[in-house]
Amino acid sequence: MTHSTTAGADEDRRHFPATGRAAEEVLDELASHRSGDVRWDEGRTFGLVFDGGDEVRAVAEEAARMFLHENALNTAAFPSLAAIQSDLCAWTADLLHGPGGTAGFVTSGGTESILCAVEAARERARSERGLHDPEMVLAVSAHAAFHKAAHLFGLQTRVVPVLADRTPDLNALADALSDRTALVVASAPQYPQGVVDPVAEMSAMAEAVGASCHVDACMGGFVLPFAAMEEPERWGSPPWDLGVDGVTSISADLHKLGYAPKGASVLLHRSRALRRHQTFDFDGWLGGRYVTPNLQGTRSGLPMAAAWAVVRHLGVDGYRRLVRSTLEAAERIRVGVRAVDGLDVPGEPRHHLLSITSTDPSLPVFAVGDALAARGWHHDRQGPPDGLHLTVSAGNVPVVDRWLADLVEAVDEVRAGGLDSGSGDGAYSTLE
Ligand SMILES: *Cc1c(COP(=O)(O)O)cnc(C)c1O
């Protein structure tokens, strides 16, 4: 048997492994696959991985090990998971000003929360209003997952532009609303530039046409509440959560700034009746009655148990501490970027998300991204306009000064020439 030659490795990848291998050898091989991965544990990714520090990781890893094999498909068999899910929903509802009766589920992530929210809004419009050609009204800044949902669940999208401050154009939004609107989408904050939409205005407009209003707080759900507790003047926002009457559902990702490992988000509905539109209940199968709350069938207990442990471990005081240091770091980054000739931070983001654009055609921002990548920093790329994206989280706090120094060097290098203009590709992986 070949082991270590390249030809052997290629051969291994084409065929189902013929014979088993010792665990140690397998784990070594797996570890070697990681050699090219970005160093998130050194704060090198502004996004993708959100590191709450050694203790947070340790408690998550122990909980994950404990619940690695459990299945939340049937919570009657695993009452522990029913309790874990219901705690996470109740705690999040408390944080996001959910009225009594607020009900939700844990999903596998922001995308699944959004898919379920869109599907629930469609079902509600069908059953309450007899609406069969539903539309979703959303700003061009709203997350791509809403378009995925429209694609999967057969809604038409009405896309509204944003103003110079990157908040949705409310006049255009008013024009896009009609008796076919099933859902209006607001973001707190939106991902591309990190600004918080005017949720109260948008949800009132939705309510006036009988539509649902979903707030995408996937990024902000476990940041904005703590930010407002820490510094209401500087970091507070106008009402944006379930405390606003017209908001019918909201999503908040535990696996982002909730600092839980991947695979956990909370989707809340204002009432159990609204949540009912989300569940799929089928009784025409030889396998018996089949009821699922979201898109998955078999559902790992690991992410929700690990998320539960992290939230329990951090508590309000722990999150406040992480949010304070993160938002102070993000502020230093914004000030530092704006001090560089030819670079800008669009909009007025005040929290942990921001983008960097170029105001100088001789300074292509993707080339700056390449020069930063050569120094070991990972930034997602976006546009229009061409931009580098930063989600600042606790893991980045210790390396902000190094990043700022490398940014200045990267800009000098691009200005000195010798680099091509860079590309926006590689923002998200492709499967081709
Ligand atoms: C990350 C994100 C999503 C999608 O969540 P996933 O966990 O990546 O599926 C949706 N909306 C916003 C604002 C996000 O930042």
Side-chain angles (χ1 to χ4, degrees), residues 64-90:
R65 192 183 298 278
M66 208 184 281
F67 280 86
L68 179 59
H69 304 291
E70 273 63 9
N71 190 344
L73 174 60
N74 186 340
T75 46
F78 297 104
S80 61
L81 293 176
I84 283 168
Q85 172 165 251
S86 112
D87 284 348
L88 283 170
C89 291

Side-chain angles (χ1 to χ4, degrees), residues 228-412:
M229 292 173 201
E230 280 293 304
E231 296 235 20
E233 294 295 317
R234 183 174 172 202
W235 293 331
S237 304
W240 55 273
D241 60 14
L242 286 167
V244 178
D245 284 346
V247 173
T248 49
S249 60
I250 192 164
S251 48
D253 290 353
L254 291 157
H255 69 194
K256 288 180 182 157
L257 280 277
Y259 295 105
K262 247 56 80 189
S265 168
V266 176
L267 171 59
L268 297 174
H269 299 271
R270 173 168 289 281
S271 66
R272 293 186 83 81
L274 287 172
R275 188 183 70 169
R276 181 66 194 82
H277 296 296
Q278 182 190 325
T279 45
F280 180 75
D281 185 345
F282 186 67
D283 204 7
W285 177 40
L286 297 184
R289 187 171 170 205
Y290 186 87
V291 187
T292 49
N294 44 35
L295 299 179
Q296 294 179 293
T298 288
R299 190 152 71 112
S300 173
L302 182 159
M304 65 172 89
W308 189 96
V310 168
V311 175
R312 198 79 189 80
H313 173 66
L314 282 171
V316 170
D317 54 345
Y319 280 110
R320 283 178 66 159
R321 194 168 18 81
L322 291 177
V323 163
R324 169 171 285 282
S325 63
T326 298
L327 297 196
E328 282 172 349
E331 179 66 27
R332 275 163 59 217
I333 287 174
R334 285 192 296 270
V335 169
V337 171
R338 284 176 171 146
V340 176
D341 217 20
L343 294 183
D344 191 24
V345 175
E348 287 300 335
R350 290 177 303 117
H351 302 103
H352 58 302
L353 300 174
L354 65 132
S355 63
I356 303 174
T357 54
S358 168
T359 54
D360 175 354
S362 71
L363 184 67
V365 78
F366 291 148
V368 176
D370 290 347
L372 282 169
R375 288 163 176 78
W377 303 101
H378 176 86
H379 295 281
D380 283 335
R381 294 167 186 225
Q382 64 179 32
D386 285 1
L388 303 176
H389 190 270
L390 281 81
T391 305
V392 184
S393 63
N396 305 119
V397 172
V399 297
V400 164
D401 290 331
R402 254 170 80 193
W403 181 84
L404 282 168
D406 279 355
L407 175 71
V408 169
E409 261 189 47
V411 167
D412 288 347

